[in-house]
Amino acid sequence: MPDLTSQLLPQLEARRINGLDASPTAVYPAYQGQSLVNLPGTICKLLGAEPLGAPALAPEWLEPLGERYQHVIMLLVDGLGLQYFQRFLDTAPWKDWLNEAALLPLTSVTPSTTATALTTLWTGATPAEHGILGYEMWLKEYGMVSNMILHCGMTSVGDVGGLRRSGFDPLTFLPVPTLGGHLKAQEVKVSAFTHQSIAYSGLSQMLHRDAELIAYKTLNDLWVTLSDWLDTHADERTYTYVYWGDIDELSHRYSPDDIRPALEFATFAFTLRSFVQQRQMTSHHDTLMLMTADHGQIHTPRQEAFDLRNHPKFTACLTMEPTGENRLPYLFLRSGMEAQAEDYIQKTWPGMFRVFPTEAILQSGLMGESIYALTPQRMGDRVVVPQDHAYWWWANKDNPLMGRHGGLTAREMLVPLFALPL
């Protein structure tokens, strides 16, 4: 099973969307068979279940994975971009596995961010279809800008799940079915392993509602508990989702180019190797381990010029602070001030931001072709695409981030799909 990156990556890099020039170097989501949205359908196919959501991966991507398995394990390494992962391919254990594994490039979704991408991975729906459009989202029906991971108001402190007081129910919020319920109805046992700090977050409850939720404390705790769980359900078809988020957290704090996330990933790989060795000794060659990511990250040095608190003339054109992502903001403009806002952007940050009417973005298919009824109102009037390493910071606090994602650069949009039979 080969490393097909060099063969398949040019197809993703060359992809363009008619009528949308977001950036000369943009990597656009390949929803037709080479992106995260195609993984739920692929998982169903590998387990012999009826499909869910978007079609499975395109034939060139699907064939190296094999055909049928009793067990599929999905390792989601938050923030592990393809280019970042490639730095480790000549180190153990990855170099030792390449003869028996497949490495394929995929695109993330737009925006390339956790809340959006994980919802896609649990539904097989594009962002425009499932309606989770970023970390910060205007929910008109609840009258607030909400944190779509913690499910609370964006300015709330210590109020995880606070949206429930406004009538929000994470179990019924999504307009599309989830993979857990879909597989469960076909007698596939589904489990979700997440760190105890986020196991019961709003996003976890929303996405994992039909899965057996298992919280782990450390990496060693994770692999031992996972192995025991697989042994317990050896005679059943199973889908096991494992989320690990330390790279993303450290990359945000120190930059993806810092040594800390690299060292943390090396620790992850070391403990993963022990798990794989143990499974290979005891399994019946009926298990496929997949590893992918929701997005990558880029280094975004702190710059006062990007702090919107320093631009009151611009924010005066808005009815509220931007929403979405620092690397893909949505603007809600005051009536009659549209031209003034766009003029300010062009003069203050020349060449750093491209501004598009929301309708044009949705019609382009950048976020998918099927559009949920509430999606347009959640995106406001304009979508802004930062160029290179530009971003906006609008929170009423000091900017702590050195790494970000959400945009259309290769480092943010390209993710690996590493497949290893066990």
Side-chain angles (χ1 to χ4, degrees):
M1 297 176 75
D3 178 356
L4 298 175
T5 305
S6 60
Q7 175 183 333
L8 300 176
L9 185 56
Q11 297 183 41
L12 304 183
E13 294 175 325
R15 187 173 184 278
R16 290 294 175 260
I17 296 179
N18 290 334
L20 180 67
D21 183 9
S23 168
T25 58
V27 172
Y28 296 101
Y31 300 131
Q32 294 72 23
Q34 304 91 12
S35 80
L36 296 181
V37 76
N38 306 107
L39 289 183
T42 300
I43 291 161
C44 292
K45 189 176 185 69
L46 294 171
L47 288 169
E50 292 296 315
L52 173 71
L57 290 168
E60 289 177 273
W61 273 257
L62 185 62
E63 184 177 353
L65 303 184
E67 295 187 358
R68 286 286 296 275
Y69 296 90
Q70 181 84 348
H71 311 285
V72 173
I73 303 168
M74 172 64 76
L75 306 182
L76 193 288
V77 181
D78 196 327
L80 182 69
L82 175 63
Q83 293 181 15
Y84 193 87
F85 178 55
Q86 288 175 316
R87 295 167 47 186
F88 298 90
L89 290 181
D90 61 351
T91 65
W94 312 106
K95 67 176 181 179
D96 304 322
W97 289 338
L98 279 178
N99 288 334
E100 51 189 317
L103 176 60
L104 307 157
L106 295 178
T107 73
S108 183
V109 297
T110 299
S112 51
T113 195
T114 300
T116 304
L118 295 193
T119 304
T120 288
L121 280 171
W122 277 93
T123 62
T126 62
E129 185 177 9
H130 61 58
I132 306 300
L133 303 163
Y135 179 61
E136 304 181 18
M137 195 164 72
W138 165 242
L139 297 180
K140 182 179 180 180
E141 61 270 42
Y142 301 108
M144 69 177 72
V145 176
S146 304
N147 180 314
M148 295 312 300
I149 291 180
L150 302 179
H151 290 175
C152 62
M154 273 310 304
T155 58
S156 301
V157 177
D159 191 33
V160 176
L163 276 177
R164 283 184 177 272
R165 293 194 299 275
S166 298
F168 177 92
D169 184 354
L171 303 183
T172 60
F173 182 72
L174 289 177
V176 292
T178 62
L179 182 61
H182 177 77
L183 291 176
K184 184 178 179 180
Q186 298 176 73
E187 299 184 344
V188 176
K189 188 74 174 178
V190 181
S191 61
F193 286 72
T194 57
H195 192 269
Q196 62 180 11
S197 62
I198 60 168
Y200 303 100
S201 70
L203 183 65
S204 294
Q205 292 182 57
M206 185 172 72
L207 300 181
H208 307 156
R209 60 179 185 257
D210 292 305
E212 181 180 349
L213 183 58
I214 302 171
Y216 66 87
K217 187 172 183 179
T218 66
L219 282 172
N220 288 320
D221 178 25
L222 163 63
W223 302 127
V224 173
T225 305
L226 173 56
S227 189
D228 289 345
W229 191 91
L230 291 169
D231 288 340
T232 300
H233 301 282
D235 296 330
E236 303 174 73
R237 285 186 300 166
T238 67
Y239 173 62
T240 305
Y241 169 85
V242 177
Y243 172 89
W244 185 68
D246 289 3
I247 285 181
D248 184 68
E249 181 178 349
L250 291 170
S251 295
H252 275 305
R253 184 180 304 177
Y254 299 107
S255 159
D257 300 328
D258 187 80
I259 188 62
R260 294 172 181 85
L263 291 173
E264 205 66 33
F265 186 63
T267 299
F268 172 85
F270 178 79
T271 60
L272 174 62
R273 177 170 58 181
S274 296
F275 167 77
V276 168
Q277 289 173 340
Q278 190 269 335
R279 297 312 303 175
Q280 288 178 329
M281 289 189 296
T282 60
S283 72
H284 301 287
H285 307 289
D286 58 359
T287 302
L288 180 65
M289 185 185 77
L290 301 172
M291 184 182 74
T292 190
D294 44 357
H295 55 76
Q297 281 212 31
I298 64 167
H299 178 51
T300 53
R302 301 185 185 104
Q303 296 188 39
E304 289 297 313
F306 295 148
D307 190 330
L308 294 190
R309 294 176 298 178
N310 298 322
H311 300 276
K313 291 183 179 179
F314 175 60
T315 56
C317 299
L318 311 178
T319 61
M320 67 176 79
E321 292 178 339
T323 63
E325 297 289 328
N326 296 160
R327 291 278 300 157
L328 198 85
Y330 307 137
L331 301 183
F332 295 75
L333 298 170
R334 293 186 185 276
S335 178
M337 301 188 75
E338 296 87 352
Q340 183 175 333
E342 294 191 28
D343 184 64
Y344 189 96
I345 293 171
Q346 292 172 6
K347 291 180 177 178
T348 306
W349 302 285
M352 297 183 186
F353 300 92
R354 296 191 181 186
V355 183
F356 300 89
T358 296
E359 182 179 359
I361 289 291
L362 290 174
Q363 289 179 351
S364 74
L366 180 67
M367 296 182 173
E369 295 183 359
S370 180
I371 301 173
Y372 174 43
L374 297 183
T375 289
Q377 72 181 31
R378 293 175 180 175
M379 294 174 61
D381 306 294
R382 299 290 189 275
V383 177
V384 181
V385 181
Q387 306 297 293
D388 300 323
H389 296 263
Y391 64 91
W392 280 336
W393 177 259
W394 53 80
N396 190 27
K397 59 182 179 180
D398 290 339
N399 173 16
L401 304 181
M402 294 293 287
R404 288 177 172 81
H405 52 80
L408 294 170
T409 66
R411 289 192 65 176
E412 295 164 281
M413 282 295 298
L414 293 171
V415 298
L417 180 63
F418 186 83
L420 179 66
L422 302 180

